[in-house]
Amino acid sequence: MNSISVRALLVRGMLAGLIAGVLALAVAYFLGESRVDAAIALEEAHSHEHDGEELVSRALQSTAGLATGVLVFGVAIGGIAALVFCYALGRIGRFGPRATAALIAGAALLTVYVVPFLKYPANPPAVGNPDTIGRRTGLFFLMVALSVLLAVAAVILGRRLAPRLGNWNATIAAAAGYVVVIGLAYAFLPSFNEVGKDFPATLLWEFRLATLAVQVTLWTVFGVVFGHLTERLLAPGAASAGTSAAASNRTAAAAG
């Protein structure tokens, strides 16, 4: 793949990430912010300490701050995923641009977020010991790194086993190896149970589901949009043929 194609794919990846970020921002605002406000209200109700005025107001955090964080993250992961796409296209099976984009988005959602989330789920304000926040953050990113590296190793293992076992059996063996090693990481890495007895379980559950919904929205929209953009760039004939066929079908249905 030449440098012009890589640059064009990088731009499309960042654009797809921006679009995905806009929709993920809407999910975060409408599903997550009310839970954050409720958790902050609980924290303030049980706290007798007053540290003075906030450096950044809650209104700014929930609007401009949230938008900046989500959109910048969307553009960043879009660019990274586009570079991964450049390497993966044609190397992970006989998949076209759209299918490759969908596979990358699904694998990223699983390895970058879902697997670490199951070990170290997100917590709202008022949950967690401030003294352990550094350790918890470090372990979460360690889990992300392990998950991504093990996923890459599983892909390499699957490709090496494919000539002997066949593609299907090699994929199952590589996936099983990934699950086993991740299970060992779950077992040996420390866990944290710092949810207070007075914190509502329903609010905690809703907050965690909201954070998961943000990531699912982000990666799903990215996979769909980026797949469409890459197919138009790399296989314009197939994309136009598919559009013409769909238009012909609609015309025939209307005539019938």
Side-chain angles (χ1 to χ4, degrees):
M1 188 173 291
N2 58 49
S3 59
I4 297 177
S5 296
V6 172
R7 185 163 55 249
L9 287 170
L10 180 61
V11 171
R12 282 160 175 78
M14 295 172 71
L15 175 61
L18 179 62
I19 295 171
V22 170
L23 294 179
L25 173 61
V27 174
Y29 184 79
F30 289 108
L31 291 185
E33 285 305 303
S34 60
R35 276 75 184 182
V36 173
D37 288 337
I40 291 174
L42 283 172
E43 184 178 36
E44 292 177 346
H46 290 85
S47 176
H48 301 289
E49 298 179 2
H50 300 280
D51 298 326
E53 295 183 359
E54 295 177 315
L55 294 178
V56 180
S57 68
R58 173 64 189 141
L60 187 60
Q61 292 174 15
S62 62
T63 52
L66 178 66
T68 301
V70 174
L71 295 180
V72 169
F73 179 73
V75 172
I77 63 98
I80 295 171
L83 296 177
V84 174
F85 175 90
C86 294
Y87 176 80
L89 185 63
R91 290 186 172 93
I92 56 173
R94 297 178 181 179
F95 298 106
R98 193 185 293 265
T100 302
L103 285 172
I104 289 173
L109 172 63
L110 179 67
T111 58
V112 176
Y113 190 77
V114 174
V115 169
F117 174 86
L118 293 176
K119 176 65 177 177
Y120 300 113
N123 287 328
V127 172
N129 184 350
D131 295 335
T132 64
I133 188 170
R135 189 180 181 206
R136 285 185 279 121
T137 302
L139 286 170
F140 176 81
F141 283 109
L142 173 61
M143 196 71 226
V144 172
L146 282 174
S147 179
V148 172
L149 291 174
L150 289 172
V152 172
V155 171
I156 295 173
L157 177 62
R159 291 186 62 189
R160 291 187 177 181
L161 292 177
R164 287 184 291 171
L165 302 180
N167 290 334
W168 181 252
N169 291 331
T171 300
I172 293 176
Y178 173 83
V179 171
V180 169
V181 180
I182 286 294
L184 291 174
Y186 278 10
F188 287 102
L189 287 176
S191 299
F192 298 90
N193 183 16
E194 299 177 346
V195 180
K197 295 180 180 179
D198 297 331
F199 195 87
T202 301
L203 178 58
L204 178 64
W205 179 244
E206 289 176 348
F207 175 83
R208 288 177 174 174
L209 283 181
T211 61
L212 182 60
V214 171
Q215 293 293 325
V216 170
T217 301
L218 182 72
W219 287 107
T220 301
V221 174
F222 172 79
V224 172
V225 175
F226 186 60
H228 173 70
L229 294 177
T230 54
E231 188 157 9
R232 290 189 62 182
L233 175 68
L234 301 176
S240 61
T243 304
S244 300
S248 300
N249 290 338
R250 288 194 296 269
T251 302

